[in-house]
Amino acid sequence: MPSVRDDTLQRTNIVSVQESQLRRAYLNSVPADVFVSYPSSSPNKYTITVFTDIDCRYCRKFHNDMASLNQQGVSVNYVMLPRTGVGSKFYNKTVAALWSDAPADSITSAMQNKDPKPIDCEPKAMSHHMDIARDLNINTTPTIVLPNGQLKVGLISPVQLFALLEADE
């Protein structure tokens, strides 16, 4: 383990490194079926977690690149985080999408301004998503968690994302 002196000389933020490790371990402990997943359509190189809101214009821009990301070996796990909060119109749309027979397809439709059919149900799945965001202290969308646990807040282009992913190899 490097000494504090080595961390200072290398300008390594040891708190940030520890937070990334904890974030990665936490997300790895979440059952896969909690996420809304968009698996890669070619051999998987990377899996990222994205905190997203179906009504966030930057989240929608990110989602527009989903097929390209998947084709290039990136799997995306969504954690839904409606910014307007519990009980809002957008929260209810998200709950309806999560309770559909095909949540990933419903989220994609919602991102294209096609609202899911309203339903009256227990928002258990949404509660899991909100708990994950709370536990990781994430309240902004889009927020991307890279495979190493590093956080990137805000929209980044696929080119920027690949540069970050490849730099971590």
Side-chain angles (χ1 to χ4, degrees), residues 5-159:
R5 180 177 164 85
D6 290 337
D7 292 330
T8 302
L9 293 174
Q10 295 177 15
R11 297 188 178 269
T12 301
N13 182 333
I14 58 175
V15 172
S16 178
V17 169
Q18 289 173 339
E19 287 174 344
S20 291
Q21 291 169 344
L22 290 170
R23 197 176 298 116
R24 183 180 67 207
Y26 178 92
L27 288 171
N28 286 338
S29 74
V30 174
D33 63 351
V34 169
F35 300 110
V36 178
S37 296
Y38 297 84
S40 71
S41 53
S42 64
N44 191 56
K45 295 180 187 175
Y46 310 104
T47 299
I48 62 173
T49 303
V50 179
F51 290 77
T52 191
D53 178 350
I54 58 177
D55 288 298
C56 162
R57 72 180 184 172
Y58 299 108
C59 297
R60 288 177 174 187
K61 285 183 180 186
F62 178 86
H63 193 81
N64 285 339
D65 292 320
M66 186 68 69
S68 174
L69 293 171
N70 292 159
Q71 288 170 354
Q72 295 180 59
V74 178
S75 293
V76 178
N77 289 330
Y78 272 169
V79 176
M80 304 310 298
L81 183 60
R83 297 166 299 146
T84 53
V86 176
S88 69
K89 171 185 168 187
F90 302 125
Y91 175 89
N92 292 333
K93 282 173 48 174
T94 305
V95 169
L98 288 174
W99 272 90
S100 73
D101 291 334
D105 293 340
S106 292
I107 295 297
T108 295
S109 291
M111 293 261 192
Q112 297 167 347
N113 262 345
K114 300 172 191 162
D115 292 348
K117 179 182 172 188
I119 58 171
D120 184 26
C121 64
E122 180 66 32
K124 182 178 177 185
M126 192 67 235
S127 295
H128 288 314
H129 287 242
M130 301 292 278
D131 289 346
I132 294 167
R134 184 197 66 238
D135 291 348
L136 295 177
N137 198 29
I138 294 174
N139 54 21
T140 304
T141 61
T143 295
I144 300 170
V145 182
L146 302 175
N148 66 1
Q150 185 181 16
L151 248 146
K152 293 296 173 189
V153 177
L155 178 64
I156 60 176
S157 72
V159 171

